Amino acid sequence: MPLLTLADILWGVILTIWVGIVTLYISKIISKYTSIYVARKAIHMLGGGIVAALSPFVFTSPLVPIIASYTLMTYLIVRRIKNGIMGWFQEKDNYGEVFYTFSYGTLLLIMWVIDGNYWSTKDVFIPLLPILYMSFGDGVTGIIRNYVYKRRVKGFWGSVGMAIVCIPLGYYLFGLYGAISGIVATIVEALPLVDDNLSIPFVSFLFLYSVIKLF
């Protein structure tokens, strides 16, 4: 199977434009009527989450998503340094969006190094499921906490929202192991030790890969 096709390039352009629209326009409207925090989570879900869900069906390899995620990460870093933050979704001391794009591309790359053919099998969801947890699970959690607690804080109802999204999604893709990975993601998200955009995807991926491929 080829690493890159014309269709890959076209879909890469379409989805890049979509993420740009979400980031630069839709999230700005959301931020205006809600908060910066909700706008960030909207980008995670409407941008990265939708791309992650579509990727195995529209790309012939992980090459385009990996390049796109690292390109976006580089842009976000350079943009912060040269022009300051985009205030409707970025915060001065919060690099969550940089960690998000890093995790996104790195999980796909790690899995590709381990198994060069994973994109054409169900194993494609071993790295993608943690990305979906990071996008939709953590996204829903953040929105719930924003409205329930009126501030950015870990709390019970946010974790309930995370579990409601992640556990069924994990079960649908990988049965019992997937459901447990959703529980793992929920627990990790609740721990204020490392940024969620690093802890959720990497710990979930490590668990999934271990139980599915090593045991």
Side-chain angles (χ1 to χ4, degrees):
M1 185 173 292
L3 293 180
L4 186 66
T5 65
L6 179 59
D8 288 334
I9 296 172
L10 291 175
W11 272 109
V13 171
I14 291 169
L15 292 176
T16 297
I17 292 173
W18 167 245
V19 171
I21 291 172
V22 169
T23 304
L24 300 177
Y25 298 100
I26 295 176
S27 68
K28 187 178 290 187
I29 296 172
I30 292 173
S31 180
K32 180 180 179 181
Y33 291 100
T34 57
S35 68
I36 291 175
Y37 190 51
V38 173
R40 291 169 67 90
K41 299 306 181 182
I43 293 172
H44 283 196
M45 293 187 288
L46 296 178
I50 286 178
V51 173
L54 290 176
S55 287
F57 306 104
V58 300
F59 295 116
T60 57
S61 81
L63 181 62
V64 171
I66 290 170
I67 292 174
S69 62
Y70 285 139
T71 300
L72 181 55
M73 179 186 71
T74 302
Y75 168 76
L76 291 169
I77 294 171
V78 172
R79 177 67 168 72
R80 273 180 174 267
I81 294 172
K82 292 186 65 175
N83 303 106
I85 64 172
M86 289 176 272
W88 65 92
F89 77 94
Q90 289 182 315
E91 296 172 312
K92 184 177 180 181
D93 298 318
N94 188 318
Y95 292 84
E97 74 280 357
V98 175
F99 297 144
Y100 179 96
T101 50
F102 169 78
S103 297
Y104 204 114
T106 302
L107 287 190
L108 297 180
L109 180 59
I110 289 173
M111 191 65 190
W112 204 8
V113 171
I114 295 172
D115 179 1
N117 297 314
Y118 84 97
W119 197 258
S120 59
T121 72
K122 190 178 180 180
D123 288 347
V124 68
F125 289 105
I126 294 178
L128 281 175
L129 181 56
I131 292 173
L132 294 174
Y133 289 161
M134 175 175 63
S135 301
F136 293 108
D138 187 51
V140 168
T141 298
I143 292 172
I144 289 174
R145 286 174 176 160
N146 181 79
Y147 287 104
V148 171
Y149 303 109
K150 310 299 182 183
R151 57 195 177 96
R152 293 179 57 175
V153 62
K154 301 290 185 181
F156 173 76
W157 291 113
S159 295
V160 169
M162 180 87 175
I164 288 174
V165 172
C166 295
I167 296 174
L169 181 58
Y171 183 81
Y172 174 76
L173 290 173
F174 289 112
L176 179 60
Y177 286 149
I180 296 173
S181 76
I183 296 172
V184 169
T186 300
I187 293 172
V188 169
E189 191 281 331
L191 301 175
L193 302 176
V194 181
D195 189 283
D196 295 343
N197 297 294
L198 294 172
S199 61
I200 293 172
F202 281 101
V203 173
S204 300
F205 170 77
L206 181 61
F207 173 83
L208 276 171
Y209 186 84
S210 296
V211 297
I212 293 173
K213 304 299 289 185
L214 299 182
F215 297 108

